[in-house]
Amino acid sequence: MKRKVLAVAADGALILYFVFALFPIAWMIILSLKPANELFSTYFSFTPTLDAYRTVLGAGSDEGVPFPRFFVNSLVVSLGAVGLSLVIGLPAAYAAARWRFRGSENLMFTLLSFRFAPELTVIIPLFVLYQKLGLFDTYVGMIWVLQLVTLPLVVWIMRSYFSDLSPELEQAALLDGYTRKQAFFKVVLPLVKPGIAAVSLLAFIFAWNNFVFPLILTSSQAQTVTVGALSFLGGDRPKYNLTAAAALVSVIPPLLLALTIQRYLVRGLSFGAVKS
């Protein structure tokens, strides 16, 4: 009997935590469905409307906020950052997994530290450099700076995948007449496709959610959804329903990607945690 009571109590605690964790999302959905005239006067009793979504997806014509353009900017910048990180990071991770030397572990931890260092520590020098080099508020500038976020992640996780593969596979390919480059592209990479999918998703999410870099290094042309969604808070009266609608729309791409390759994501995280 005591065990049953404890089990019920544990289930109740989990349900309460589940409700607590999801309440902010539910509140965002409620805000996005509220009409402007009921935004500050009611809590749960209101007439639902999709006007906020129409305004946000209609280029914000009534508010002067081109949110669809910010959405496209985020897609271009995030996909570009992930693509460049894979081009650079996959060979780097393979080299780090196969060739060990004195100080190689220190080098890897230094690279990983770039990912966890506060972005504010480098944002002022980057702002000055971007102004001088003409990279301010450009796609190239944003894709390049996001390498500080995505590239260490790609190298660190993919190094674990490459380390898990037996070197004998590559040696057999070399004996069959393959060059080192051919062995890498035709033998090694096909075997780590789950890792590539997982790390691509993680890198995309981190690039998509980044806020500090687009806040300081863009103004309008390359501004992303993380900053653009806050544009609806300007003016004499903040429009929380538009901000909530914009935030919910901006969640769609990473959510769809996460649902698409969820099993690869879990495997990639476990490999990165165990092997490194």
Side-chain angles (χ1 to χ4, degrees):
M1 183 66 182
K2 182 179 180 180
R3 183 177 299 178
K4 185 176 181 180
V5 172
L6 290 176
V8 172
D11 291 342
L14 287 175
I15 292 173
L16 288 176
Y17 177 78
F18 183 75
V19 173
F20 173 79
L22 290 184
F23 181 76
I25 300 176
W27 187 253
M28 290 283 285
I29 296 174
I30 291 172
L31 278 178
S32 68
L33 296 176
K34 279 189 174 184
N37 59 346
E38 297 183 33
L39 193 59
F40 299 97
S41 59
T42 60
Y43 289 98
F44 298 103
S45 177
F46 61 92
T47 304
T49 178
L50 296 177
D51 289 344
Y53 291 96
R54 295 190 186 98
T55 301
V56 168
L57 297 177
S61 56
D62 298 336
E63 307 298 328
V65 179
F67 186 79
R69 190 177 73 191
F70 298 154
F71 191 90
V72 173
N73 290 346
S74 286
L75 284 176
V76 173
V77 168
S78 300
L79 292 175
V82 173
L84 182 59
S85 294
L86 290 176
V87 170
I88 300 174
L90 289 177
Y94 177 71
R98 287 292 182 259
W99 289 280
R100 303 295 178 93
F101 53 90
R102 181 179 297 179
S104 61
E105 290 298 323
N106 293 333
L107 179 62
M108 288 301 300
F109 277 107
T110 300
L111 178 65
L112 186 64
S113 68
F114 294 154
R115 171 65 191 88
F116 297 108
E119 296 166 351
L120 293 176
T121 59
V122 298
I123 196 64
I124 300 302
L126 282 174
F127 177 79
V128 176
L129 287 173
Y130 271 43
Q131 290 282 4
K132 297 293 185 180
L133 297 175
L135 295 175
F136 180 79
D137 200 22
T138 62
Y139 287 152
V140 174
M142 280 304 302
I143 291 173
W144 187 255
V145 76
L146 285 176
Q147 298 309 302
L148 294 174
V149 178
T150 57
L151 185 57
L153 194 69
V154 171
V155 174
W156 190 259
I157 293 181
M158 290 310 303
R159 179 193 182 217
S160 300
Y161 270 87
F162 290 131
S163 297
D164 192 60
L165 293 179
S166 174
E168 295 177 356
L169 294 173
E170 299 146 60
Q171 294 172 4
L174 295 176
L175 290 175
D176 287 340
Y178 282 51
T179 64
R180 175 69 67 175
K181 182 179 178 180
Q182 290 174 330
F184 175 71
F185 283 102
K186 295 184 179 181
V187 177
V188 177
L189 284 187
L191 294 176
V192 295
K193 283 183 180 179
I196 296 175
V199 79
S200 298
L201 172 60
L202 283 175
F204 180 86
I205 291 175
F206 280 113
W208 181 274
N209 290 336
N210 190 268
F211 178 78
V212 175
F213 288 145
L215 176 65
I216 304 299
L217 301 179
T218 65
S219 60
S220 59
Q221 296 302 316
Q223 194 170 104
T224 60
V225 291
T226 52
V227 179
L230 299 181
S231 302
F232 295 108
L233 294 178
D236 298 332
R237 190 174 184 180
K239 300 173 178 61
Y240 296 112
N241 56 337
L242 299 183
T243 303
L248 291 173
V249 170
S250 66
V251 168
I252 294 176
L255 182 61
L256 290 178
L257 284 175
L259 292 176
T260 302
I261 56 176
Q262 183 179 7
R263 57 175 180 163
Y264 296 142
L265 174 62
V266 173
R267 185 181 176 189
L269 286 173
S270 63
F271 266 76
V274 174
K275 295 296 294 184
S276 297

